[in-house]
Amino acid sequence: SACSSKFVLSHVHPMWQGTLAVPGGDRQSPIDIAVRKSVFDPQLKPLTFQYDPRTCQQIWNNGYSFLVEYDDTTDKSILSGGPLQDAYRLCQFHFHWGESNAWGSEHTVDRRLFPAELHLVHWNAEKYSLFEEAVMEENGLAVIGVFLKVGKRHEGLQKLVDALPAVRHKDSVVEFTRFDPACLLPTNTHDYWAYPGSLTTPPLSESVSWMIMKQPIEVSHDQLAVFRSLLFTSAEEEVQKSMVNNFRVQQALRGRTVSSSFS
Ligand code: SG4
Ligand code: ZN
């Protein structure tokens, strides 16, 4: 009944309420990447990132993460190469993080957790005409995952961190322009893992080509602390909730192979 499901899910973020059980798909995300079980694929060519910082538009707190959104009405910021047959347009990037530095990433490497994970979300604009259409289709989306580890302050990220207090509450949006997403990539983008998966939030569509960078980027503890100062809740709500632990639990591999671009 609605009553018992509300009881069971009351500790879960509201976005997940109504998502009854796991959809039972065969290619859900995120997963653990078992390094020695991944298979080197010499066909996996380097990825090509052609990003135009002028397509950057705004930051939005959507009540689950914050999104840096890009104009995807033309082919100006494009990802291609690697396992991809087509060119995919960047529409947004966002992060997942924990309440402490001990966890927060969605993917793991040999069960190692990272404090945060960046997702650059792209859709196939050669096969589909809108993001909303691509989301439901095979080969519709391509997401680049980058692990964040704690170390020295990340200069590129700091411009974004400085803007976050303006989107502290759910549903707040601020203009944010000329941000080059390439500054958040690790120096080595040749080494990555690739596997077929899904979105990690509802609708959990199995339309994502995942590419997870092997090399993490370094950010400072203070920069992550600003992520944790954001709120899941809107300004009107009485009880404010910190935006932390906004990751999905890991999903079964179910016979999939994780490919690696490196041996
Ligand atoms: C985050 O919740 C984003 O805020 C969502 O963006 C995103 O959904 C969702 O994560 C799932 O993306 O790369 N983690 S993920 O699989 O990109 C979509 C929005 O809701 C559809 C716009
Ligand atoms: Zn994500």
Side-chain angles (χ1 to χ4, degrees), residues 2-207:
C3 183
S4 60
S5 77
K6 193 178 176 195
F7 174 76
V8 169
L9 293 171
S10 60
H11 61 290
V12 163
H13 188 273
M15 179 185 70
W16 287 92
Q17 291 174 17
T19 310
L20 293 172
V22 191
D26 283 330
R27 49 173 286 190
Q28 289 289 302
S29 296
I31 57 162
D32 175 54
I33 296 164
V35 173
R36 298 198 57 183
K37 285 188 187 155
S38 68
V39 177
F40 170 56
D41 180 356
Q43 311 271 58
L44 280 179
K45 297 289 175 301
L47 289 155
T48 305
F49 301 89
Q50 290 171 267
Y51 292 148
D52 180 349
R54 289 171 302 183
T55 61
C56 186
Q57 294 183 315
Q58 57 183 29
I59 311 178
W60 174 36
N61 177 335
N62 71 352
Y64 189 68
S65 182
F66 65 88
L67 276 66
V68 178
E69 300 185 303
Y70 286 77
D71 173 15
D72 59 0
T73 56
T74 61
D75 268 340
K76 285 190 180 132
S77 286
I78 290 295
L79 169 70
S80 59
L84 308 172
Q85 300 299 318
D86 301 303
Y88 288 64
R89 278 185 202 161
L90 176 70
C91 57
Q92 50 107 335
F93 69 79
H94 62 267
F95 299 82
H96 303 264
W97 62 91
E99 65 181 285
S100 85
N101 294 339
W103 64 81
S105 62
E106 294 207 303
H107 292 90
T108 53
V109 179
D110 287 340
R111 301 274 169 209
R112 176 183 173 188
L113 305 153
F114 290 84
E117 184 173 334
L118 160 67
H119 289 158
L120 295 140
V121 182
H122 312 74
W123 59 277
N124 188 337
E126 286 189 46
K127 289 222 166 66
Y128 309 106
S129 45
L130 288 172
F131 174 81
E132 289 72 17
E133 195 189 335
V135 162
M136 305 313 297
E137 305 292 338
E138 201 173 328
N139 301 318
L141 304 181
V143 183
I144 299 282
V146 180
F147 295 117
L148 278 63
K149 71 174 199 182
V150 175
K152 59 178 184 298
R153 187 174 114 129
H154 192 293
E155 290 312 323
L157 183 69
Q158 189 57 36
K159 185 190 163 196
L160 181 51
V161 166
D162 288 339
L164 291 183
V167 291
R168 192 158 173 252
H169 290 97
K170 179 180 190 236
D171 300 327
S172 46
V173 183
V174 287
E175 187 186 64
F176 188 69
T177 55
R178 291 186 295 271
F179 186 82
D180 186 358
C183 81
L184 298 176
L185 296 170
T187 49
N188 175 3
T189 58
H190 283 82
D191 295 354
Y192 62 89
W193 294 282
Y195 80 95
S198 74
L199 290 176
T200 66
T201 65
L204 302 169
S205 334
E206 298 186 324
S207 54

